[in-house]
Amino acid sequence: MKEYSYSQAIDFFKNMPHFIPPKGGGAKKDYFSLDAELMLLEKLDKPQNKLKYVHIAGTNGKGSTTSYLASILNEASVVTGAFTSPFLYRYNEMFKVNGDDISDVDFAEVFSEVKPAYDELAADGVFVSEYEFLTVMAFIYFLKKGCEIVLLEVSMGGRMDTTNVIPAPLVSIITPISYDHMTILGNTLTEIATEKAGIIKPGTAVVSATQEPEVQKVLRVTCKSNDNVPIEFVEPAKILSRDIHGQSFAVSEGLQYETTMLGTYQIDNAAVAIAAARKLMEKGYHITEESIRKGIANTKWFGRFTLLSDNPPLVIDGGHNRQGAKVLRESLETYFPGKKVTFVLGILADKEVDLILDTLAPMMKKCYTVAVPNPRTMKPQALAGMIQERGIEAEPLDSKSTIEDIKKQSEVVCLAGSLYLISLFDKA
């Protein structure tokens, strides 16, 4: 077997397509196929069938919910793998075991194990995409590490996502479903929910956040059609106290928890993770109430309404769709009532830019626009023009201006609009 270096593996991925359209095209929602990935897994002795999973789908809150649950399992001494996306700096971030990223050496080793099977398929005219290859690597890596549970976060949708090649997971989590990726998933909540509900399989147990009525209906129907899979809709958590450094809350059973995660939505993500942990307890995993409590308290998830500094407050948030903008505004209004916010905003051009701006505009004192480090970025000048049309002072952030300069002129500063911006400003 040829041994590839880490840099050779990374160069290979940088030249791969994110997804490969089927021959002959077809409807957008049928634009993906798992056939090539399944063929690759077959050549590698189906590693996906040798692990136990929690599968996480939804529009917003997947990363935070996964992080909460991973922290709980870590406190319970359960060897836990987590496969998440997107990465902000390095591919390694997508593969974690007990919170630690895969090493460069392990990454290269697992890549070298998968590459010959990829080459065999390619020789026959069958090609897998970047995320399919990475997902297959995840299964092999987590097997090597002896993971007792693997948390698999869906990248997009669910039904045809690269992670949806696994047998029935122990628990399937559905975080809040809203509008995003509509060109692929559909233009209505019913269509989008149907795609995301595609991860539900006979033999699993479903834990869902509170959902809109049409989403609830889709999830209930899907569960019923899959041998009456049980589903639990988790009630919103009750806030007990909240300030800029943390919050405490109670779940439906009256049990109380504390988290340093900010954002009004984070306590509901925590409640979903707690419900999922209890499902795992029912399935025989030794998870105590103390491990749940400590896990929630110790969870960190950078870039989700994260306070970077005080005086004035500087917040960074990766919300990038209509629901993300809505909860960002709610959080800003809750933590900084009556204050106007200076935004540093970057948005991908294929997002619902008008809806995001309409949601955030009433809070804006001024806005600086930036390019998202992604080819799909909206140009800063065009974004500034759209904000100016709403009667708000806006301009592209130039090289002469710094976040420190902006802070000196502001009551509150918020860096927002895309998860990809986090890599630019996490040292702000």
Side-chain angles (χ1 to χ4, degrees):
M1 181 181 77
K2 178 179 178 179
E3 293 185 2
Y4 292 84
S5 69
Y6 177 76
S7 61
Q8 286 174 321
I10 297 304
D11 287 342
F12 173 81
F13 285 124
K14 286 180 177 178
N15 292 303
M16 290 186 80
H18 286 301
F19 68 90
I20 298 172
K23 293 177 181 178
K28 282 288 186 182
K29 65 173 50 184
D30 295 319
Y31 214 46
F32 299 87
S33 168
L34 300 177
D35 292 346
E37 183 183 354
L38 288 167
M39 291 170 70
L40 182 59
L41 288 165
E42 179 80 29
K43 284 184 174 292
L44 295 163
D45 197 26
K46 300 180 180 179
Q48 79 277 19
N49 293 342
K50 302 171 186 177
L51 294 160
K52 302 292 185 183
Y53 302 95
V54 174
H55 207 176
I56 304 102
T59 304
N60 293 303
K62 296 192 298 290
S64 298
T65 303
T66 300
S67 188
Y68 275 125
L69 187 53
S71 183
I72 291 169
L73 293 172
N74 185 57
E75 292 293 336
S77 299
V78 178
V79 182
T80 305
F83 182 65
T84 61
S85 62
F87 67 88
L88 301 178
Y89 305 97
R90 307 175 78 227
Y91 280 87
N92 305 53
E93 299 164 37
M94 299 175 70
F95 311 78
K96 285 182 168 60
V97 174
N98 292 341
D100 295 326
D101 293 354
I102 187 174
S103 69
D104 291 0
V105 171
D106 284 342
F107 191 101
E109 180 182 308
V110 176
F111 175 85
S112 298
E113 190 169 332
V114 177
K115 184 62 161 55
Y118 169 88
D119 289 338
E120 288 179 18
L121 286 176
D124 291 333
V126 177
F127 297 93
V128 300
S129 66
E130 176 193 26
Y131 266 44
E132 288 174 313
F133 197 119
L134 290 164
T135 304
V136 172
M137 282 179 59
F139 297 136
I140 292 174
Y141 177 62
F142 295 142
L143 263 179
K144 287 178 178 291
K145 288 296 184 179
C147 292
E148 298 169 84
I149 293 179
V150 172
L151 309 182
L152 275 187
E153 180 189 329
V154 167
S155 173
M156 181 174 64
R159 181 178 66 94
M160 299 305 292
D161 186 74
T162 62
T163 60
N164 203 28
V165 292
I166 60 172
L170 299 164
V171 182
S172 300
I173 296 176
I174 309 292
T175 65
I177 291 176
S178 183
Y179 294 91
D180 202 6
H181 301 295
M182 281 99 78
T183 57
I184 299 293
L185 303 180
N187 293 313
T188 68
L189 279 182
T190 296
E191 289 177 311
I192 295 169
T194 299
E195 290 298 307
K196 294 182 183 294
I199 70 166
I200 297 172
K201 302 176 177 70
T204 190
V206 178
V207 172
S208 172
T210 301
Q211 305 284 1
E212 296 293 335
E214 55 264 59
V215 174
Q216 275 204 36
K217 181 179 179 180
V218 168
L219 296 181
R220 291 188 188 280
V221 168
T222 304
C223 286
K224 186 175 181 180
S225 66
N226 280 276
D227 292 347
N228 288 312
V229 165
I231 183 167
E232 174 187 353
F233 287 96
V234 180
E235 294 181 14
K238 179 181 179 182
I239 183 68
L240 300 176
S241 65
R242 174 180 283 148
D243 62 33
I244 200 60
H245 299 292
Q247 47 194 337
S248 63
F249 63 95
V251 296
S252 57
E253 297 88 348
L255 296 171
Q256 298 182 14
Y257 303 90
E258 294 182 354
T259 178
T260 58
M261 300 266 277
L262 305 180
T264 54
Y265 51 90
Q266 288 294 10
I267 60 174
D268 292 334
N269 292 334
V272 170
I274 291 167
R278 294 207 173 117
K279 284 285 187 286
L280 293 173
M281 291 169 65
E282 293 171 7
K283 292 177 181 288
Y285 288 87
H286 185 65
I287 302 169
T288 64
E289 179 57 35
E290 184 64 15
S291 61
I292 293 175
R293 194 177 307 280
K294 286 184 176 180
I296 296 298
N298 293 334
T299 300
K300 308 292 183 187
W301 192 237
F302 185 85
R304 280 65 173 181
F305 205 81
T306 302
L307 182 69
L308 295 179
S309 63
D310 285 307
N311 196 30
L314 172 62
V315 172
I316 186 166
D317 186 84
H320 54 277
N321 50 43
R322 67 170 74 177
Q323 187 181 47
K326 177 176 178 289
V327 296
L328 171 58
R329 177 175 169 177
E330 288 174 355
S331 295
L332 288 169
E333 289 174 339
T334 298
Y335 286 101
F336 312 111
K339 293 188 176 181
K340 287 285 188 178
V341 180
T342 300
F343 280 84
V344 178
L345 204 62
I347 304 176
L348 297 180
D350 56 4
K351 298 299 181 181
E352 295 180 294
V353 181
D354 278 306
L355 278 173
I356 293 171
L357 295 181
D358 287 343
T359 300
L360 297 178
M363 301 202 67
M364 289 184 180
K365 174 186 177 184
K366 182 176 180 178
C367 187
Y368 295 89
T369 58
V370 296
V372 178
N374 185 289
R376 292 149 48 209
T377 187
M378 187 167 192
K379 294 186 182 304
Q381 190 66 55
L383 181 58
M386 293 180 69
I387 296 166
Q388 291 165 0
E389 289 172 0
R390 288 162 169 81
I392 296 159
E393 185 181 355
E395 63 183 74
L397 184 66
D398 60 37
S399 58
K400 297 178 183 178
S401 300
T402 68
I403 296 299
E404 287 303 317
D405 293 331
I406 294 171
K407 286 169 64 177
K408 290 175 184 176
Q409 309 166 31
S410 309
E411 289 184 293
V412 179
V413 180
C414 182
L415 316 172
S418 173
L419 287 170
Y420 293 103
L421 282 181
I422 294 172
S423 62
L424 296 180
F425 294 111
D426 68 340
K427 306 300 182 187

